[in-house]
Amino acid sequence: MFITTMKLSYKNNKTSGECRLTLDEEEFDRYFYGKDRKDKLLTIAWNRGASQEVLVDGVKYNFPSNTVLCLMVNQTFQFANPTCIVAWQFNRPFYCIVDHDKEVSCVGFLFYGSRDMMFIELDEAKQYKIDLLLKVFLDEFETVDNIQQDMLQMLLKRLIIIITRLAKEQYLDEEELPAAKLDIVRQYNLLVEKNYKVEHRVKFYADQLNRSPKTLANLFALYNDKSPLIIIQDRVILEAKRLLLYTDKSAKEIAYELGFADAAHFSAFFKKITSYAPSDFRGNKPSILAGGDSC
């Protein structure tokens, strides 16, 4: 299927719900603390071309061919070869994955999860399936009527379910971590996302879930190598890095924003985890990616 360069967008002016589809664009990126701060969009990116680099929050990753990467609202990202990327983007008013978690089961795993980047592989059958779905998306973006939003939401829901199923197959052992246990892990991840700026203690989250810290530790040992405490610390450090890289806020301002008593406490914590003083980390801004191969 040959598709020309395009950016398609649907917006509900009453609710501010927005859904976008971008493909074959030479310029596609996101700078959350810059030009894109106002657009609170989740992103599902499919690399249809050769392997390329992607820069996410200052860290370079290899984005393999025919894999899908899910990116958060507040992540800054840039692709070496954006023309090979198909990207679906949507905001909470358009489709709230938290409110619809019973439908898609992606919250705290695909989005708001504690794992490192998940590059979800598409075999030929799944590539064909997603490509068919893409064609229907294109048709619905062009069909303006009173059920356009319903149709786009239905297609987006289907896309999220497909990607979530694949991610669970590739990244989870469902025999060791069945759905009931995974749900506790997912709830913990979402609670951390909501509260990490004010609560740095595992006990707070354990109490919210009516579980003991030890129970949570055992569940996360099945889920990944991170302990519940490290998950909190990683989230705080990630936000600190974003603020250091992409804003002009002082260490004192960042410390206050992230729930530390003072700048000295924050600086000691940051150096203990990263081996860098905040000022030294800020001085090592990531390089911009060079262009990749054509699709």
Side-chain angles (χ1 to χ4, degrees):
M1 177 179 64
F2 176 78
I3 300 173
T4 56
T5 298
M6 62 176 64
K7 289 183 179 178
L8 300 172
S9 180
Y10 167 85
K11 186 168 184 178
N12 185 320
N13 292 323
K14 292 182 179 179
T15 66
S16 297
E18 187 170 3
C19 183
R20 300 178 186 176
L21 175 60
T22 301
L23 59 160
D24 295 345
E25 281 287 332
E26 293 185 0
E27 295 184 8
F28 174 64
D29 51 30
R30 181 167 175 77
Y31 291 89
F32 178 70
Y33 285 105
K35 62 182 177 64
D36 300 312
R37 184 68 185 260
K38 69 182 187 302
D39 299 321
K40 301 187 183 304
L41 300 167
L42 294 169
T43 301
I44 300 174
W46 172 23
N47 178 18
R48 295 193 300 175
S51 294
Q52 62 173 290
E53 285 188 332
V54 57
L55 187 69
V56 182
D57 289 329
V59 180
K60 288 182 181 179
Y61 301 90
N62 179 49
F63 194 174
S65 175
N66 278 306
T67 61
V68 170
L69 175 63
C70 296
L71 295 153
M72 292 299 302
V73 167
N74 51 5
Q75 285 182 306
T76 291
F77 58 80
Q78 180 201 12
F79 301 99
N81 190 10
T83 56
C84 294
I85 301 298
V86 177
W88 293 266
Q89 295 179 291
F90 61 99
N91 63 5
R92 179 170 185 164
F94 179 80
Y95 188 79
C96 178
I97 57 174
V98 175
D99 291 347
H100 294 90
D101 186 58
K102 289 185 178 180
E103 297 176 352
V104 293
S105 300
C106 69
V107 175
F109 175 59
L110 203 62
F111 296 103
Y112 307 111
S114 59
R115 284 182 174 272
D116 294 328
M117 295 289 112
M118 290 194 296
F119 295 93
I120 303 154
E121 299 176 10
L122 302 179
D123 60 21
E124 288 189 10
K126 291 300 188 292
Q127 291 171 41
Y128 179 74
K129 193 171 188 177
I130 300 296
D131 196 53
L132 286 178
L133 195 60
L134 173 60
K135 291 176 182 178
V136 183
F137 262 108
L138 291 169
D139 183 59
E140 290 302 329
F141 269 105
E142 298 293 344
T143 305
V144 180
D145 58 22
N146 61 354
I147 62 168
Q148 184 182 21
Q149 176 167 310
D150 292 334
M151 292 297 293
L152 289 171
Q153 286 175 332
M154 180 184 69
L155 293 170
L156 179 63
K157 174 182 169 182
R158 181 168 176 77
L159 175 66
I160 294 171
I161 290 172
I162 291 171
I163 300 305
T164 302
R165 284 175 175 170
L166 285 174
K168 287 180 177 178
E169 289 174 8
Q170 294 171 26
Y171 285 91
L172 294 180
D173 184 339
E174 295 194 58
E175 289 187 5
E176 289 193 0
L177 194 68
K181 291 183 178 179
L182 176 60
D183 283 346
I184 297 171
V185 170
R186 297 196 302 116
Q187 290 172 43
Y188 181 89
N189 287 334
L190 184 58
L191 281 170
V192 170
E193 182 64 29
K194 289 180 177 179
N195 297 284
Y196 71 90
K197 290 185 178 181
V198 293
E199 283 292 346
H200 301 165
R201 300 169 302 130
V202 174
K203 187 177 184 305
F204 167 82
Y205 300 99
D207 289 346
Q208 295 294 306
L209 295 170
N210 295 315
R211 298 292 190 280
S212 69
K214 185 176 180 180
T215 297
L216 293 179
N218 291 337
L219 288 175
F220 274 96
L222 297 175
Y223 181 63
N224 57 25
D225 294 331
K226 297 180 181 179
S227 71
L229 178 60
I230 289 176
I231 288 164
I232 300 168
Q233 292 175 341
D234 280 357
R235 186 62 187 91
V236 174
I237 287 293
L238 175 59
E239 198 65 21
K241 287 179 176 179
R242 288 171 175 164
L243 294 169
L244 289 166
L245 287 174
Y246 303 117
T247 77
D248 294 325
K249 291 184 177 183
S250 66
K252 183 178 181 181
E253 290 172 315
I254 295 172
Y256 177 77
E257 183 168 336
L258 296 180
F260 290 89
D262 52 48
H265 185 197
F266 164 68
S267 295
F269 170 78
F270 190 89
K271 188 168 186 179
K272 178 182 177 182
I273 302 296
T274 68
S275 300
Y276 287 95
S279 58
D280 293 335
F281 180 83
R282 174 168 267 165
N284 290 306
K285 289 185 179 291
S287 58
I288 300 299
L289 295 178
D293 298 330
S294 61
C295 298

